[in-house]
Amino acid sequence: MTTWTDQTADRPISLTAPSGIDRAAHHRLDEAWLAAAWSHPTTRCFVVSGGQVLIDETPDGRTELVMTPSFEAPLTEAHRYFLGNDEEGVSYFALQKDALPGRIDQSARPAGLREAGLLLSPRDAGLMVHAVGLENWQRTHRFCSRCGERTVIAAAGHIRRCQACGAEHYPRTDPAVIMAVTDEEDRILLGRQVHWPEGRFSTLAGFVEPGESIEQSVRREVFEEAGVNVGPVEYVASQPWPFPSSLMLGFMARATSTDITVDGDEIHEARWFSREDLRTAFETGEVLPPYGISIAARLIEMWYGKPLPTRSVI
């Protein structure tokens, strides 16, 4: 039997490769150090707005974040986030703005993580996912959940403080499980969410609930969404997924039943696929592969035995 180790073991999961950036969290509360870093001539920054950044193609065909020296950056004081330093000591900042800046050369274009994450270097992708995660949290947590008063930004964008009651609030990360479920015939269970277009299938996923282990969450979510019981659960890898604030925890799981009953609320349709079934469905267009940036694609590849077909980013 073909296994995932034959052709897909070395394929990295997007947004998880080592970025070469030290987040240097110990500097976030050092205002003097941050001011010096911001004013240093080697410091680079970029704007993030609505989950998007500007990217550009280089003459040698690479795609890069559009970054500028800090002294050329658009003005913003409160929404300036320190992201870390590279091995050469260069500091990186993200600037949260209501809109991306225009470009005189008109060659750059805005892009979100679903597109840019597949094109950027590990360094740039790591910087972008950090910045987008902070921006998503900052935009939705401006008021104190304890007393309702407005909060202020601290720790270079990584804390919000309430000056009324003294509470500190930290960036939210929601753990979610995502799993490739297979049965005794080595078929894979894929589902289509109610709001997805016709033909788009992927692995099942869901959020971890309070007081629940991740293994329990895998079994509960699969049963709730598809009516299938799950036995052994094996952790594979994780992936930051700031849409808006998730950490995806990837698993392989073995089903102990095969009858499908979809919940109708989250999952509209679920099916068992053999490798031949899925290959034929890809070729005919009956099934659209998941986005290449998603850990879902890698989980399916682990079972499928080779890279999935690519499709355009929407």
Side-chain angles (χ1 to χ4, degrees), residues 23-87:
R23 294 196 174 197
H26 58 288
H27 289 312
R28 293 173 185 168
L29 294 172
D30 189 337
E31 294 298 333
W33 187 94
L34 291 170
W38 177 251
S39 62
H40 197 279
T42 64
T43 293
R44 294 294 180 266
C45 63
F46 60 95
V47 174
V48 58
S49 180
Q52 292 192 318
V53 298
L54 288 178
I55 62 173
D56 205 352
E57 277 69 45
T58 64
D60 60 358
R62 293 177 295 110
T63 301
E64 293 183 336
L65 275 176
V66 174
M67 290 192 273
T68 64
S70 56
F71 57 82
E72 295 179 1
L75 294 177
T76 180
E77 288 297 328
H79 297 280
R80 186 170 74 199
Y81 311 140
F82 173 60
L83 304 179
N85 303 319
D86 65 18
E87 295 176 351

Side-chain angles (χ1 to χ4, degrees), residues 1-167:
M1 180 181 71
T2 301
T3 63
W4 71 277
T5 53
D6 295 331
Q7 301 183 46
T8 63
D10 295 330
R11 286 170 59 80
I13 297 171
S14 297
L15 309 179
T16 63
S19 67
I21 299 295
D22 177 1
R23 294 196 174 197
H26 58 288
H27 289 312
R28 293 173 185 168
L29 294 172
D30 189 337
E31 294 298 333
W33 187 94
L34 291 170
W38 177 251
S39 62
H40 197 279
T42 64
T43 293
R44 294 294 180 266
C45 63
F46 60 95
V47 174
V48 58
S49 180
Q52 292 192 318
V53 298
L54 288 178
I55 62 173
D56 205 352
E57 277 69 45
T58 64
D60 60 358
R62 293 177 295 110
T63 301
E64 293 183 336
L65 275 176
V66 174
M67 290 192 273
T68 64
S70 56
F71 57 82
E72 295 179 1
L75 294 177
T76 180
E77 288 297 328
H79 297 280
R80 186 170 74 199
Y81 311 140
F82 173 60
L83 304 179
N85 303 319
D86 65 18
E87 295 176 351
E88 298 178 355
V90 175
S91 297
Y92 295 89
F93 288 80
L95 308 178
Q96 178 180 322
K97 303 288 286 185
D98 291 334
L100 295 175
R103 292 273 289 178
I104 297 176
D105 57 19
Q106 299 297 312
S107 65
R109 69 180 190 278
L113 265 174
R114 284 187 172 88
E115 176 187 4
L118 292 171
L119 303 174
L120 296 173
S121 68
R123 184 202 69 176
D124 285 5
L127 290 170
M128 182 180 178
V129 74
H130 189 175
V132 169
L134 284 178
E135 185 210 18
N136 284 336
W137 173 68
Q138 291 282 357
R139 288 188 183 276
T140 57
H141 290 76
R142 296 176 179 175
F143 296 90
C144 179
S145 59
R146 179 185 292 176
C147 71
E149 292 296 320
R150 183 176 288 275
T151 56
V152 297
I153 295 173
H158 295 76
I159 294 176
R160 292 193 74 98
R161 289 198 178 110
C162 178
Q163 295 178 315
C165 71

